[in-house]
Amino acid sequence: SQTIHQWPATLVQPVGSPLSLECTVEGTSNPNLYWYRQAAGRGLQLLFYSVGIGQISSEVPQNLSASRPQDRQFILSSKKLLLSDSGFYLCAWSGTPGSYEQYFGPGTRLTVT
Amino acid sequence: SQQGEEDPQALSIQEGENATMNCSYKTSINNLQWYRQNSGRGLVHLILIRSNEREKHSGRLRVTLDTSKKSSSLLITASRAADTASYFCAASGGSNYKLTFGKGTLLTVNP
């Protein structure tokens, strides 16, 4: 069966510090991968998605970036965090043939102080 | 965009009652999905309804889709306290599996 992992679960970082959030998927090959951000009490904002290694599409211009160094690994990064980067970051995968459903990881709670 | 918008924003009911949540979207879709999120957790897929379907059932869940009105509804029958969560609709209109989520309905089921 497929599983998706995210770490860390929580993170408190000062303004201006770098960021690296990691997401890995097990039990599937060539998944589509997604990074979302959810502000408190709000819906999900799609940040990046990837349909293959090295292929990244950005949905919202910002100081975040994403990379996919391996088929089942997706990394969200920032060189310098802003206060507005605080939120709940969710990774998801999809791609079971013929299926549009997305499967989410447990999320990372990021607080920028 | 195919953005979904849920209505109401919050709903509080008693255990055993039915809960109905509505969703509207803006453009044509391939399918519409509903997800559930417990506080502080990831989202869990509940049900998908394709654009050529009008109604779909899964256990205590019933989803309807009206493409002429660009709207969908999620009915949870015989609600339980464990159904307390936020519920999101998500519209899919393209071939690359991208979804556009609404802001969600917070459902509280009181025991």
Side-chain angles (χ1 to χ4, degrees):
Chain A
S1 64
Q2 299 91 359
T3 56
I4 178 169
H5 305 277
Q6 280 186 251
W7 65 91
T10 60
L11 191 59
V12 180
Q13 293 283 95
V15 169
S17 63
L19 173 73
S20 181
L21 302 181
E22 189 163 344
C23 170
T24 60
V25 181
E26 297 176 356
T28 188
S29 297
N30 196 31
N32 293 335
L33 295 172
Y34 309 85
W35 277 112
Y36 292 91
R37 177 170 58 203
Q38 185 177 32
R42 301 294 299 276
L44 277 71
Q45 179 185 38
L46 178 63
L47 302 175
F48 301 95
Y49 71 95
S50 172
V51 299
I53 295 174
Q55 300 178 61
I56 309 294
S57 296
S58 175
E59 291 293 299
V60 182
Q62 58 212 319
N63 71 320
L64 299 172
S65 62
S67 62
R68 184 171 178 173
Q70 300 181 43
D71 181 45
R72 290 169 289 176
Q73 184 185 30
F74 206 22
I75 297 172
L76 183 68
S77 303
S78 174
K79 292 182 178 178
K80 290 185 177 181
L81 284 168
L82 306 173
L83 286 174
S84 58
D85 292 324
S86 293
F88 191 48
Y89 288 82
L90 289 158
C91 181
W93 72 274
S94 73
T96 302
S99 169
Y100 289 88
E101 292 91 340
Q102 292 187 11
Y103 302 93
F104 285 79
T108 295
R109 176 76 57 191
L110 172 65
T111 303
V112 182
T113 61
Chain B
S1 73
Q2 296 87 24
Q3 184 177 17
E5 292 289 345
E6 293 87 349
D7 168 54
Q9 290 185 337
L11 179 62
S12 181
I13 60 174
Q14 296 298 122
E15 207 165 25
E17 295 179 340
N18 295 342
T20 300
M21 289 159 271
N22 302 298
C23 169
S24 60
Y25 57 91
K26 295 181 179 178
T27 62
S28 61
I29 59 171
N30 289 334
N31 64 78
L32 189 132
Q33 303 177 38
W34 286 89
Y35 289 78
R36 164 192 169 131
Q37 183 182 33
N38 288 83
S39 181
R41 308 289 294 274
L43 278 72
V44 175
H45 180 265
L46 295 177
I47 194 167
L48 178 152
I49 186 165
R50 299 186 188 279
S51 60
N52 61 353
E53 297 176 311
R54 291 296 168 260
E55 186 172 313
K56 199 164 184 178
H57 297 254
S58 177
R60 294 185 295 113
L61 305 180
R62 172 179 171 248
V63 170
T64 61
L65 179 65
D66 186 335
T67 53
S68 66
K69 296 181 180 178
K70 293 186 170 56
S71 66
S72 173
S73 67
L74 171 67
L75 168 67
I76 303 175
T77 61
S79 63
R80 307 165 181 169
D83 293 328
T84 294
S86 291
Y87 292 83
F88 295 88
C89 69
S92 173
S95 60
N96 56 7
Y97 305 102
K98 282 172 52 179
L99 295 176
T100 305
F101 286 82
K103 296 180 181 179
T105 293
L106 176 59
L107 173 66
T108 303
V109 181
N110 301 298

